[in-house]
Amino acid sequence: MTEKIFLKTFIYVWIYIPIGFFIVFFVTGNNWNMALNFLLGSLVSIMLMSHNYKTTMKTAHQDHLNLKSRALKNYFFRYFFYILILAITLLKFEDYRYLIPVFIGFTTFKVVMMISFAIANIGGGLDD
């Protein structure tokens, strides 16, 4: 059941992103760049979590003895990519304030996943 909830997170996150986009837009005084930076962070988050899931599942089915190695590679890849996106954002805007919505966007998938698991736990969906 845990895997089903995790996979549903990929659907639910698409509801959360536009809501977050407009919240960032209005909170920052109608600043499109801030809202787009949130969108960038959110999309990167989804992309990297999808990559993480696919490579982990492939390794689990083909060579489960290398799961630890695969997990470490995924972490290094994911955090390298996060650093790259933050560096590009900083080079483009030259202001640390523009990193905040990107970072918040990076947390998008995890926030939605935590909410999904909490709701499933309350509803008894994790017991299956």
Side-chain angles (χ1 to χ4, degrees), residues 8-57:
K8 285 182 181 180
T9 302
F10 284 101
I11 296 167
Y12 300 148
V13 76
W14 292 106
I15 298 167
Y16 179 85
I17 289 174
I19 294 168
F21 178 86
F22 286 110
I23 289 172
V24 170
F25 178 71
F26 290 118
V27 166
T28 60
N30 300 341
N31 187 332
W32 283 107
N33 288 329
M34 290 285 211
L36 289 173
N37 283 353
F38 170 79
L39 183 63
L40 170 68
S42 298
L43 295 177
V44 166
S45 172
I46 294 169
M47 179 189 74
L48 291 175
M49 290 306 289
S50 175
H51 172 267
N52 185 38
Y53 176 76
K54 288 176 185 177
T55 58
T56 302
M57 288 298 112

Side-chain angles (χ1 to χ4, degrees), residues 4-5 25 37 50 74 76 80 83 93 96 116 122 124:
K4 287 182 183 179
I5 297 168
F25 178 71
N37 283 353
S50 175
N74 283 345
F76 282 120
F80 171 78
I83 291 167
F93 293 105
Y96 289 102
S116 298
I122 291 169

